[in-house]
Amino acid sequence: MFLEKSITKFVAKVFLFLLPVAIIFAALVFLGMRVGELRKTNSVVEFEIKHPGETLFLRRILQDTDSYKFKKLLRLKPDILILGSSRVMQIRQEMFGEDVLFYNGGGLAEMPLGFQELLDLLPKDYQPKIIFIGLDSFEYGKKRNSGRGALKAQMEKVDYFAPANWRPYVYVAQRLAVGIIGNPARLFDYLQPKEPINGKTAIGVFALEGNGFRFDGSFQYGGSILSRRLNPNFTDTEDVIGRIRQGTAQFVFDSDFDYEKAEDLKTFLEAAKAENIFVVGFAPPYSSEVYKELTISPRHKNLFADFRSKIPKIFAEADFPFYDFSDLSVLGLNDQYMFDGFHPTETAAAYMLRSMLLHKALKNNPLLNEKSAVLYLDKAINSDGTKPFKIYYENN
Amino acid sequence: MTFNSPEFLIFLAVVFFTYWVLNLKYQNLFLVLASYFFYGWWDWRFLSLMFISASVDYLAGLFLEKTDNETKRKYILTSALTANLVILGFFKYYNFFVSSFQNGLGTLGIPMQSLTTLSIILPVGISFYTFQSMSYSIDVFRRTVRPTRDFVAFTAYVSFFPQLVAGPIERASNLLPQFQARRQFDYAVAVEGLRQMLWGFFKKIVIADNLGMVVEKIYGNVYGASSWELLIATFFFAFQIYCDFSGYSDIATGTARLFGFRLMRNFAYPYFSTNIIQFWKRWHISLSTWFRDYVYIPMGGSKVNFWKYARNVLTVFIVSGIWHGANWTFVAWGAIHGAYFLPLAVSKNSNRYKEAREDIPSLKNLHRIIFTFLLVLFAWVFFRAENIGEAVYILGKIISTGLLAFPGFSAIYPKRLVIIGILIFAEWISRNKQYPLIGLERLPKIFRFGLYYAIIFAIFFFGNFGSLPFIYFQF
């Protein structure tokens, strides 16, 4: 049994022909691993646990944020958890001091059903002691999907890194190659991935650009911070105003408050109470223009007003506090404290949290005591290094 | 295991090496095992169906050889065809017939609940290998093919992995003798095979799958799409299905060449047809000739009176539609093509078989090519839509005032249009060759290899490596 000469010649030629392609592909896969795009989610979580506070994580090509955040939550098992949309993601561990473990689960669950489903997914041996939930008025319209099963579906999504799943490797190699051809200097960034704001180890291409999740699950808007450094007075609310006027994205035209979602919220609060979890509700701020638009827009104002009048009552009935910061001016801040029309900066988030912690309902909570939080926040807010778009912590 | 996966490339390398170290006796057996492994990669449970289909026709061939009694021969052939069609009918059409029957009775006011649909998985490529296997029995019955006693060679013919799941649907007269003869490795033929595979991969991964993303998105939300979106999606679908299916055929033919086999040509630049008759001579040739030889001609073909001729043409097109899938949309698609075909076929128009042969098409031919393409495009709406109602809605939406509002350049996916333009150009200048890369050995090495690498890097940089399967697998 042997191969004819012509076959061996054929095979050798095909091999030599494909060798450069294979080498380039292997190099790109190596880069993908180096920059974190091909790093398995479990491995990312373990690396972060070993190097707390030294990383920023967000992939650009293979995103599985929910799975990452949930795995991290289970690994950290924090005392204080925050849930809500991206509008809550600027609340950080530092704001609670060092005596208590906090995790920002923003993005994991935004709807009342989602809060409940997340609680149900937690293991029996773990419950957070306090959950802050940021509520958005636009989530309570009748047209908005209740999000039933969304979290579970995300968890069960195709595993990018399942054995024999080759597509992510090809896809990442392809995208990285396109990126390098567009900007060859990126090659060096991929080899030494550091994020530009604090010089932490970047895991993922987005993190390399300064955007990503910190150890505590909070989000760093590196791109916005860099542009604000160049132009501190820049405010950007046009995009959100456009969404409201055109009824797109989060702001679909919706005048009717959804009482079913209100019932879902009641159910969640009751369940939390039964589990001895203290829930703090709050509505994060909008920029002044966006706030004004929501109060006058004929296709949004009813929902916005109903949300602001009915939700606090539900919390009051459950004997949990609720704080409405929809109007940024209640914090004494202006639009420079917003990244855009509806995302507060971390400095605004510090003001918001400080305002809540000073309230009687939270003041005496041993986990949220004055020493470790408010004083610390005061110091950070009043620090010379603090800017409207970026707070300066002592340990920063 | 799909052609556009690393698993296939590894499989191909292993099978190629092993195959060429074996002698003829073991080569066929090895190809059978490899083909069954290839098919079993999807679902090993359906291997038995393929084996039964092959066994039935193999035995039919032997029995047909033993008797000259025409009644007995007809009985044998009928039994073999029935067995194949029962398998095909059950796995592919059972639910369609049951639900259509129930709906039909329902519209007559007769509720019918006793028949229930079943959750049947459609075995990949069942229509292809069943038709290939059946053609052998018919050819033996007609005495145009000598029956084989070599079961291994016959099983290899039915299950040959390059063309197993999406054709070309081979005839025993072409492929079976190749399994019975000694194969010699031919360097030039193998290189030619790789070139054809490369072109097939380019069509599938770069063109079909990139267009498929847009088609999936818009056809997945038909009622929320604008007139322009539906028009663009339908236009893209025409090229998606062409590049997907002809790309598969190129990869299949190229792969077969690596093993010393020549498969029949399945596509001959169908979108350059100047009329529908030509289109059907160039699109899915192995299926259209199958229906011509085994359905149309036995029904009398064109050598009958007008009404019977019309019946024959429409029957073949409708059956061809149903062959594609158990849905009324495919029936409509077939019927529409039948309606296009018939007037031209009965006319005495001498241009009906003329092709556009000039380097730059004359205005007359360009007009004919575009008109033919538009007819085909109209019918593709029925092929792609979920149901007849949706197809009618799409056509109504496209042919409406909504088309007057141009959505802007970016909304018509200019990059994808450029890729289509490149395809049309490449195919037009090569339309006298089987595929554009043929005959490259005459070019200087540097150009030749430059072109190969350019295509490989185009596949890598612009390819869509999502999980879109080959469309024709479902048939």
Side-chain angles (χ1 to χ4, degrees):
Chain A
M1 296 214 293
F2 60 93
L3 284 171
E4 284 176 34
K5 259 191 180 173
S6 59
I7 301 176
T8 47
K9 182 185 158 198
F10 173 77
V11 170
K13 278 202 164 183
V14 170
F15 177 78
L16 285 175
F17 173 76
L18 291 176
L19 192 60
V21 179
I23 290 171
I24 291 171
F25 179 70
L28 288 165
V29 168
F30 168 77
L31 275 186
M33 288 176 169
R34 180 84 193 150
V35 78
E37 286 292 332
L38 285 170
R39 190 164 191 166
K40 292 180 182 178
T41 307
N42 283 336
S43 152
V44 172
V45 170
E46 290 310 317
F47 183 81
E48 289 183 335
I49 300 283
K50 274 187 194 159
H51 305 88
E54 294 175 19
T55 57
L56 190 72
F57 167 73
L58 190 58
R59 296 193 198 104
R60 179 183 211 144
I61 305 166
L62 304 178
Q63 291 194 21
D64 61 347
T65 304
D66 286 349
S67 166
Y68 158 75
K69 282 205 134 182
F70 189 65
K71 282 174 178 166
K72 188 80 178 284
L73 168 65
L74 294 189
R75 198 67 177 73
L76 288 177
K77 297 187 175 167
D79 300 316
I80 304 173
L81 173 67
I82 192 163
L83 298 174
S85 64
S86 57
R87 285 166 22 91
V88 306
M89 284 191 197
Q90 295 305 302
I91 296 180
R92 315 219 190 272
Q93 167 73 64
E94 289 93 326
M95 297 177 185
F96 292 89
E98 292 167 352
D99 301 336
V100 64
L101 191 57
F102 162 82
Y103 188 70
N104 192 319
L108 267 179
E110 304 168 24
M111 311 284 286
L113 263 181
F115 303 147
Q116 184 62 54
E117 286 176 2
L118 181 74
L119 270 195
D120 296 341
L121 282 173
L122 293 176
K124 282 182 183 158
D125 65 340
Y126 165 69
Q127 295 286 10
K129 294 185 176 73
I130 302 174
I131 299 180
F132 282 77
I133 52 173
L135 305 183
D136 301 317
S137 56
F138 47 77
E139 305 278 21
Y140 288 80
K142 270 200 167 165
K143 289 182 186 164
R144 191 84 173 179
N145 189 296
S146 70
R148 186 179 297 280
L151 183 63
K152 212 173 170 197
Q154 280 295 319
M155 298 297 128
E156 289 166 359
K157 215 169 66 172
V158 175
D159 181 4
Y160 292 131
F161 301 104
N165 187 9
W166 53 271
R167 292 179 201 280
Y169 295 88
V170 179
Y171 188 58
V172 166
Q174 182 192 49
R175 296 291 92 206
L176 289 180
V178 170
I180 292 167
I181 287 172
N183 178 9
R186 298 239 75 177
L187 179 63
F188 301 102
D189 296 337
Y190 293 159
L191 287 169
Q192 288 295 333
K194 294 279 178 198
E195 56 99 6
I197 307 297
N198 297 307
K200 293 177 180 175
T201 301
I203 306 173
V205 172
F206 268 141
L208 201 58
E209 293 163 358
N211 301 306
F213 295 104
R214 298 160 26 123
F215 180 77
D216 60 6
S218 66
F219 197 81
Q220 176 174 295
Y221 286 102
S224 298
I225 293 170
L226 289 173
S227 61
R228 285 294 179 92
R229 278 181 184 167
L230 295 173
N231 182 6
N233 296 322
F234 176 75
T235 54
D236 172 24
T237 58
E238 274 179 25
D239 174 50
V240 180
I241 294 282
R243 293 185 203 184
I244 295 169
R245 289 183 181 163
Q246 288 156 27
T248 56
Q250 297 90 342
F251 298 95
V252 288
F253 296 133
D254 206 350
S255 292
D256 300 325
F257 182 78
D258 188 346
Y259 288 91
E260 274 188 33
K261 292 191 185 96
E263 284 302 313
D264 292 339
L265 182 61
K266 280 183 193 171
T267 309
F268 163 71
L269 295 177
E270 283 164 16
K273 188 162 237 176
E275 298 281 349
N276 284 324
I277 299 171
F278 186 64
V279 180
V280 181
F282 68 101
Y286 295 103
S287 71
S288 56
E289 276 184 60
V290 168
Y291 173 74
K292 191 176 159 197
E293 190 70 25
L294 285 173
T295 56
I296 60 171
S297 164
R299 290 154 117 172
H300 295 284
K301 66 178 182 183
N302 289 346
L303 172 61
F304 191 48
D306 281 347
F307 169 83
R308 299 184 75 195
S309 65
K310 295 184 191 324
I311 295 293
K313 284 180 191 161
I314 293 170
F315 274 83
E317 282 168 20
D319 207 18
F320 288 133
F322 180 83
Y323 307 94
D324 186 355
F325 301 108
S326 302
D327 180 1
L328 184 63
S329 67
V330 299
L331 293 168
L333 305 177
N334 60 33
D335 286 354
Q336 285 183 26
Y337 288 82
M338 299 293 293
F339 280 126
D340 55 21
F342 64 158
H343 286 104
T345 63
E346 63 174 336
T347 312
Y351 275 96
M352 188 170 64
L353 185 64
R354 180 176 173 277
S355 169
M356 288 191 269
L357 296 182
L358 284 171
H359 189 258
K360 60 181 180 186
L362 274 64
K363 210 172 181 178
N364 296 321
N365 189 305
L367 283 172
L368 304 169
N369 63 71
E370 207 171 322
K371 185 171 169 275
S372 63
V374 176
L375 282 180
Y376 188 80
L377 273 175
D378 275 341
K379 203 173 169 186
I381 286 169
N382 296 319
S383 160
D384 289 342
T386 291
K387 303 274 189 290
F389 58 87
K390 177 93 176 76
I391 202 159
Y392 180 81
Y393 299 105
E394 224 170 50
N395 57 351
N396 229 341
Chain B
M1 196 185 310
T2 55
F3 283 167
N4 55 338
S5 68
E7 297 97 279
F8 175 72
L9 296 181
I10 294 165
F11 167 83
L12 182 61
V14 171
V15 174
F16 177 84
F17 270 109
T18 316
Y19 173 83
W20 283 114
V21 295
L22 296 172
N23 62 32
L24 175 63
K25 190 179 168 189
Y26 295 108
Q27 275 181 336
N28 284 348
L29 183 61
F30 178 69
L31 277 182
V32 171
L33 295 174
S35 298
Y36 272 62
F37 177 82
F38 176 83
Y39 192 81
W41 191 269
W42 275 288
D43 198 327
W44 58 269
R45 291 171 299 174
F46 296 124
L47 290 174
S48 55
L49 289 181
M50 198 162 63
F51 184 77
I52 290 168
S53 192
S55 303
V56 163
D57 289 297
Y58 171 76
L59 290 173
L62 291 183
F63 289 137
L64 285 168
E65 188 187 26
K66 280 184 182 167
T67 178
D68 286 327
N69 181 318
E70 287 308 309
T71 313
K72 272 188 185 170
R73 288 173 63 81
K74 274 184 186 166
Y75 176 75
I76 293 164
L77 178 67
T78 309
S79 305
L81 297 184
T82 306
N84 277 300
L85 292 173
V86 163
I87 292 173
L88 184 62
F90 178 75
F91 281 93
K92 191 161 179 174
Y93 300 106
Y94 174 82
N95 284 342
F96 171 67
F97 285 130
V98 167
S99 55
S100 296
F101 185 58
Q102 281 174 333
N103 290 342
L105 289 178
T107 52
L108 295 173
I110 309 165
M112 180 79 178
Q113 309 249 321
S114 57
L115 286 171
T116 49
T117 54
L118 305 171
S119 48
I120 300 168
I121 301 168
L122 178 65
V124 173
I126 188 169
S127 303
F128 287 93
Y129 69 73
T130 308
F131 269 47
Q132 183 159 315
S133 191
M134 283 197 303
S135 72
Y136 167 79
S137 295
I138 301 171
D139 286 346
V140 172
F141 174 79
R142 290 175 176 176
R143 296 191 172 87
T144 53
V145 162
R146 284 177 62 85
T148 179
R149 291 179 171 276
D150 185 345
F151 183 64
V152 174
F154 183 74
T155 315
Y157 153 74
V158 174
S159 63
F160 188 39
F161 74 87
Q163 44 87 238
L164 171 60
V165 290
I169 303 167
E170 278 294 339
R171 306 293 181 78
S173 55
N174 175 45
L175 192 55
L176 193 52
Q178 296 185 55
F179 277 102
Q180 290 163 328
R182 180 176 153 73
R183 270 89 63 183
Q184 187 75 36
F185 180 81
D186 184 324
Y187 183 88
V189 169
V191 171
E192 199 183 301
L194 285 183
R195 268 192 219 122
Q196 193 162 4
M197 288 174 75
L198 184 62
W199 183 242
F201 281 124
F202 177 78
K203 281 199 282 188
K204 166 64 180 166
I205 299 170
V206 178
I207 306 178
D209 287 355
N210 275 314
L211 297 179
M213 268 177 70
V214 178
V215 175
E216 292 273 311
K217 191 176 123 196
I218 295 172
Y219 267 77
N221 179 27
V222 162
Y223 298 100
S226 69
S227 302
W228 270 96
E229 283 175 323
L230 290 169
L231 178 65
I232 280 286
T234 306
F235 178 74
F236 282 0
F237 178 67
F239 285 93
Q240 182 202 355
I241 194 164
Y242 167 62
C243 290
D244 190 285
F245 192 19
S246 69
Y248 182 94
S249 294
D250 282 332
I251 300 167
T253 308
T255 306
R257 282 184 180 175
L258 294 178
F259 296 91
F261 292 90
R262 286 200 176 268
L263 301 182
M264 71 180 291
R265 192 179 185 186
N266 217 13
F267 288 86
Y269 309 111
Y271 289 152
F272 297 146
S273 307
T274 51
N275 59 55
I276 284 293
I277 290 181
Q278 267 192 41
F279 177 82
W280 279 104
K281 282 177 175 291
R282 293 157 168 254
W283 178 274
H284 202 175
I285 300 165
S286 65
L287 181 71
S288 49
T289 52
W290 198 101
F291 278 114
R292 181 196 65 199
D293 294 346
Y294 300 119
V295 180
Y296 175 71
I297 290 174
M299 287 174 81
S302 60
K303 294 184 171 71
V304 285
N305 66 38
F306 171 78
W307 296 110
K308 281 188 177 170
Y309 178 50
R311 177 204 66 187
N312 295 349
V313 168
L314 288 174
T315 303
V316 164
F317 274 102
I318 289 171
V319 172
S320 162
I322 294 176
W323 177 91
H324 284 86
N327 194 326
W328 288 106
T329 52
F330 294 119
V331 177
W333 174 77
I336 290 166
H337 272 282
Y340 291 159
F341 192 95
L342 192 58
L344 194 63
V346 296
S347 78
K348 302 294 177 202
N349 187 342
S350 60
N351 286 327
R352 60 189 167 162
Y353 299 119
K354 271 193 183 170
E355 296 178 6
R357 294 195 179 279
E358 56 281 20
D359 286 341
I360 298 170
S362 64
L363 272 180
K364 203 175 179 183
N365 275 336
L366 188 63
H367 164 258
R368 284 177 176 155
I369 289 170
I370 293 172
F371 181 68
T372 307
F373 179 74
L374 288 176
L375 290 177
V376 173
L377 202 61
F378 179 88
W380 281 139
V381 172
F382 286 86
F383 195 94
R384 182 61 181 79
E386 290 294 317
N387 53 59
I388 299 280
E390 191 177 284
V392 171
Y393 171 84
I394 292 166
L395 288 168
K397 184 87 180 177
I398 291 175
I399 310 164
S400 72
T401 52
L403 218 52
L404 298 174
F406 185 65
F409 200 55
S410 63
I412 58 170
Y413 302 93
K415 283 181 193 166
R416 286 172 171 85
L417 288 176
V418 168
I419 294 176
I420 291 175
I422 291 169
L423 172 82
I424 293 172
F425 176 75
E427 294 212 331
W428 178 261
I429 60 170
S430 346
R431 66 193 188 285
N432 295 321
K433 300 189 277 189
Q434 192 174 342
Y435 61 95
L437 299 185
I438 214 165
L440 283 189
E441 60 277 3
R442 288 192 294 274
L443 285 178
K445 233 179 191 178
I446 189 158
F447 288 117
R448 205 181 340 143
F449 279 84
L451 186 60
Y452 297 153
Y453 278 122
I455 294 175
I456 287 177
F457 284 109
I459 291 171
F460 180 66
F461 284 112
F462 305 115
N464 182 324
F465 293 95
S467 53
L468 288 177
F470 284 92
I471 295 174
Y472 264 68
F473 280 14
Q474 62 190 294
F475 306 140

